[in-house]
């Protein structure tokens, strides 16, 4: 190929493309970072190449975030469990609008610096839309519908629709999606899944984040009963009818098999459940948010179980209400330090191409391939076996 002004050549000790690992290779990009060629380094004059110590990988995809909660950084106590977390969150959800906006922008910039190029972002209101529209990051907005009273399902859905229509007006990718099995009665589930205007047609739902959810579905008791009765001042036995099955069974009866759905957290999903669900629902993806799970429940899923669905696993940071950073590298470091058998190459696939697939942006993001403009990150400080260490750091190159 003819090397034109503006083109750049990059190399490093290793290149994790998102799909494989290359050595002695060079990436050739245009000015904007579009990959024009991947070639053997020997064919190029070394003086023309920017050669880095460390490993190159594609830009990260953060599959689960709540940008609008960024002002809650360091405001909620750790380790008290999901139900207390929800109470704390709702109690402090009343910040001045300028502060909310300022913290959203700070968080957006923090994600750019930490090498994130695309985000699946949950919204309950329209606060983050303008910043998302103007950001260098690609955002898919999951507009959450939720509410406990079955008779108010239409109203809950109308509220979500307002945010969705605003996002659509601003040309943002957006879809209306359920919050969690315990907070979406069947009437509302049906409205969400009958809605045909999502673009792209993706769903996301918080799944099996706490054992209390399982208990609530089995017999209607436990922390969620107390939350509904004491905090929301409703009669839980009137608004919720336990199915006697686990929450995931309740959810699956509504899920359209042909559409992509991201199940988020899955801390209490068993090996057997994951196997059965993934066999029957080929478009389900599993999102790991380890640092949020440690923050809220002080517990991690057994990610070695997740290797059975490893081509469908993505990584999310969750929000700054339940995390100290919005950094995908911090998440995959946590996974590997607890489960050292999970290879760096596998984790980088979870952090890049799998997230791009679920958000349906893999034609541009997720892997270093000719024709894509995926962003390029440099990882420094991997050990001699390519494992992450405390010192592993990220630098965004493009
Ligand atoms: Zn979340």
């Amino acid at each position: 190929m003819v090397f034109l002004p503006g083109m750049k050549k990059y190399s490093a000790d290793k290149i994790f493309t998102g799909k494989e690992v290359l050595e002695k290779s060079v990436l050739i990009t245009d000015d904007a970072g579009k990959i024009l060629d991947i070639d053997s380094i020997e064919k190029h004059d070394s003086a023309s190449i920017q050669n880095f110590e460390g490993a190159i990988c594609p830009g990260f995809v953060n599959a689960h975030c709540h940008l609008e909660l960024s002002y809650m950084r360091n405001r909620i106590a750790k380790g008290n469990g999901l139900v207390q977390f929800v109470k704390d969150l709702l109690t402090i959800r009343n910040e001045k609008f300028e502060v909310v906006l300022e913290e959203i922008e700070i968080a957006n910039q923090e994600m750019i610096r930490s090498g994130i190029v695309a985000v699946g972002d949950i919204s309950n209101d329209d606060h983050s839309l303008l910043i998302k529209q103007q950001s260098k990051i690609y955002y898919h907005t999951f507009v959450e519908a939720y509410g406990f009273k079955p008779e108010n399902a239409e109203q809950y859905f109308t509220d979500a629709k307002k945010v969705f229509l605003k996002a659509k007006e601003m040309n943002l990718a957006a879809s209306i999606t359920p919050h969690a099995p315990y907070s979406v009665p069947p009437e509302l589930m049906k409205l969400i899944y009958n809605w045909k205007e999502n673009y792209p047609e993706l769903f996301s739902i918080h799944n099996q984040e706490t054992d209390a959810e399982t208990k609530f579905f089995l017999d209607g008791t436990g922390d969620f009963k107390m939350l509904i009765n004491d905090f929301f001042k409703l009669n839980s036995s009137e608004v919720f009818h336990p199915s006697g099955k686990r929450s995931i069974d309740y959810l699956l009866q509504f899920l359209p098999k042909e559409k992509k759905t991201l199940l988020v957290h899955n801390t209490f999903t068993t090996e057997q459940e994951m196997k059965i669900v993934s066999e029957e629902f080929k478009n389900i993806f599993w999102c790991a948010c380890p640092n949020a799970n440690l923050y809220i429940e002080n517990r991690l899923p057994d990610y070695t179980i997740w290797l059975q669905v490893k081509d469908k696993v993505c990584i999310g940071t969750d929000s700054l209400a339940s995390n100290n950073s919005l950094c995908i590298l911090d998440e995959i470091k946590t996974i590997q330090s607890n489960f050292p058998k999970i290879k760096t190459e596998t984790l980088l696939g979870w952090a890049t191409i799998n997230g791009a697939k679920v958000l349906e942006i893999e034609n541009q993001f997720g892997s270093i391939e000719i024709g894509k403009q995926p962003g390029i990150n440099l990882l420094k400080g991997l050990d001699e076996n390519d494992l992450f260490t405390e010192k592993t750091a990220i630098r965004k190159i493009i």
Side-chain angles (χ1 to χ4, degrees), residues 221-366:
T221 65
D223 285 355
F224 278 108
K225 182 181 176 181
M226 275 151 45
L227 176 77
I228 291 174
N229 289 350
D230 303 344
F231 191 80
F232 289 100
K233 309 287 181 212
L234 297 168
N235 183 341
S236 120
S237 55
E238 273 174 26
V239 297
F240 183 82
H241 305 289
S243 60
K245 295 180 184 167
R246 291 169 62 101
S247 59
I248 197 166
D249 296 315
Y250 167 74
L251 172 64
L252 293 177
Q253 61 181 306
F254 302 104
L255 280 194
K257 282 189 183 166
E258 70 286 5
K259 305 279 186 260
K260 284 185 184 151
T261 295
L262 186 61
L263 299 183
V264 182
H265 295 301
N266 315 302
T267 317
F268 291 85
T269 308
T270 64
E271 184 169 9
Q272 189 65 6
E273 279 173 333
M274 200 168 245
K275 185 170 185 291
I276 293 169
V277 172
S278 58
E279 274 169 12
E280 207 183 322
F281 290 81
K282 304 282 184 212
N283 292 308
I284 278 187
F285 284 70
W286 306 84
C287 184
C289 303
N291 288 340
N293 298 147
L294 290 174
Y295 193 112
I296 297 173
E297 292 266 335
N298 196 23
R299 176 178 170 132
L300 286 177
D302 178 355
Y303 289 116
T304 54
I305 288 174
W306 294 39
L307 290 170
Q308 65 174 317
V309 290
K310 73 179 168 70
D311 295 337
K312 299 276 176 61
V313 178
C314 316
I315 307 287
T317 58
D318 217 344
S319 72
L320 286 170
S322 60
N323 205 335
N324 299 323
S325 67
L326 300 181
C327 174
I328 293 295
L329 177 62
D330 287 348
E331 303 297 326
I332 54 182
K333 279 163 106 170
T334 296
I335 296 178
Q336 199 176 61
S337 66
N338 286 278
F339 303 94
K341 273 192 203 152
I342 306 182
K343 290 184 199 154
T344 297
E345 189 182 347
T346 304
L347 289 166
L348 289 175
W350 293 2
T352 59
I353 188 66
N354 292 359
K357 278 185 192 160
V358 76
L359 297 182
E360 298 194 348
I361 49 171
E362 74 269 32
N363 54 355
Q364 188 182 347
F365 297 105

Side-chain angles (χ1 to χ4, degrees), residues 152-171:
N152 288 1
E154 287 279 355
Q155 186 55 51
Y156 302 141
F157 189 73
T158 304
D159 292 344
K161 211 158 68 179
K162 279 184 200 152
V163 179
F164 170 85
L165 292 173
K166 198 157 178 190
K168 206 170 172 193
E169 233 171 67
M170 296 169 75
N171 282 323

Side-chain angles (χ1 to χ4, degrees), residues 47-318:
S48 69
I49 302 171
Q50 286 189 58
N51 205 344
F52 297 101
E53 217 173 87
I56 281 175
C57 74
F60 291 135
V61 178
N62 180 359
H64 183 76
C65 185
H66 303 241
L67 205 51
E68 67 197 17
L69 302 181
S70 298
Y71 67 92
M72 295 186 186
R73 193 192 302 246
N74 297 327
R75 292 199 192 174
I76 298 181
K78 293 181 181 173
N80 290 331
L82 181 67
V83 171
Q84 186 58 43
F85 177 82
V86 170
K87 286 186 201 169
D88 292 345
L89 187 144
L90 293 173
T91 307
I92 62 167
R93 199 163 190 176
N94 55 3
E95 187 49 90
K96 277 192 231 117
F97 191 52
E98 305 89 83
V99 177
V100 172
L101 283 187
E102 199 183 343
E103 295 299 327
I104 289 172
E105 180 52 18
I106 290 169
N108 173 55
Q109 294 299 333
E110 182 179 323
M111 286 201 278
I112 293 172
R113 280 197 306 278
S114 68
I116 291 170
V117 292
V119 178
D121 188 58
I122 304 285
S123 289
N124 301 128
D125 54 42
D126 61 6
H127 295 167
S128 60
L129 296 183
L130 190 61
I131 288 167
K132 288 194 264 199
Q133 189 194 37
Q134 294 171 348
S135 178
K136 279 186 201 161
I137 290 178
Y138 170 90
Y139 281 97
H140 179 99
T141 298
F142 290 106
V143 182
E144 264 179 357
Y146 65 101
F148 289 109
K149 289 184 180 176
E151 67 273 23
N152 288 1
E154 287 279 355
Q155 186 55 51
Y156 302 141
F157 189 73
T158 304
D159 292 344
K161 211 158 68 179
K162 279 184 200 152
V163 179
F164 170 85
L165 292 173
K166 198 157 178 190
K168 206 170 172 193
E169 233 171 67
M170 296 169 75
N171 282 323
L172 286 162
S175 50
I176 300 181
T177 204
H179 165 256
Y182 61 83
S183 60
V184 180
E187 292 77 358
L188 183 53
M189 283 283 190
K190 283 177 199 152
L191 290 171
I192 293 167
Y193 287 112
N194 284 331
W195 174 251
K196 300 290 177 227
E197 293 192 36
N198 289 343
Y199 182 77
E201 284 193 275
L202 315 174
F203 299 99
S204 158
I205 187 160
H206 296 88
N207 180 56
Q208 295 174 300
E209 189 175 353
T210 170
D211 213 18
E213 185 179 9
T214 309
K215 186 161 180 51
F216 194 48
F217 273 83
L218 287 178
D219 62 14
T221 65
D223 285 355
F224 278 108
K225 182 181 176 181
M226 275 151 45
L227 176 77
I228 291 174
N229 289 350
D230 303 344
F231 191 80
F232 289 100
K233 309 287 181 212
L234 297 168
N235 183 341
S236 120
S237 55
E238 273 174 26
V239 297
F240 183 82
H241 305 289
S243 60
K245 295 180 184 167
R246 291 169 62 101
S247 59
I248 197 166
D249 296 315
Y250 167 74
L251 172 64
L252 293 177
Q253 61 181 306
F254 302 104
L255 280 194
K257 282 189 183 166
E258 70 286 5
K259 305 279 186 260
K260 284 185 184 151
T261 295
L262 186 61
L263 299 183
V264 182
H265 295 301
N266 315 302
T267 317
F268 291 85
T269 308
T270 64
E271 184 169 9
Q272 189 65 6
E273 279 173 333
M274 200 168 245
K275 185 170 185 291
I276 293 169
V277 172
S278 58
E279 274 169 12
E280 207 183 322
F281 290 81
K282 304 282 184 212
N283 292 308
I284 278 187
F285 284 70
W286 306 84
C287 184
C289 303
N291 288 340
N293 298 147
L294 290 174
Y295 193 112
I296 297 173
E297 292 266 335
N298 196 23
R299 176 178 170 132
L300 286 177
D302 178 355
Y303 289 116
T304 54
I305 288 174
W306 294 39
L307 290 170
Q308 65 174 317
V309 290
K310 73 179 168 70
D311 295 337
K312 299 276 176 61
V313 178
C314 316
I315 307 287
T317 58
D318 217 344

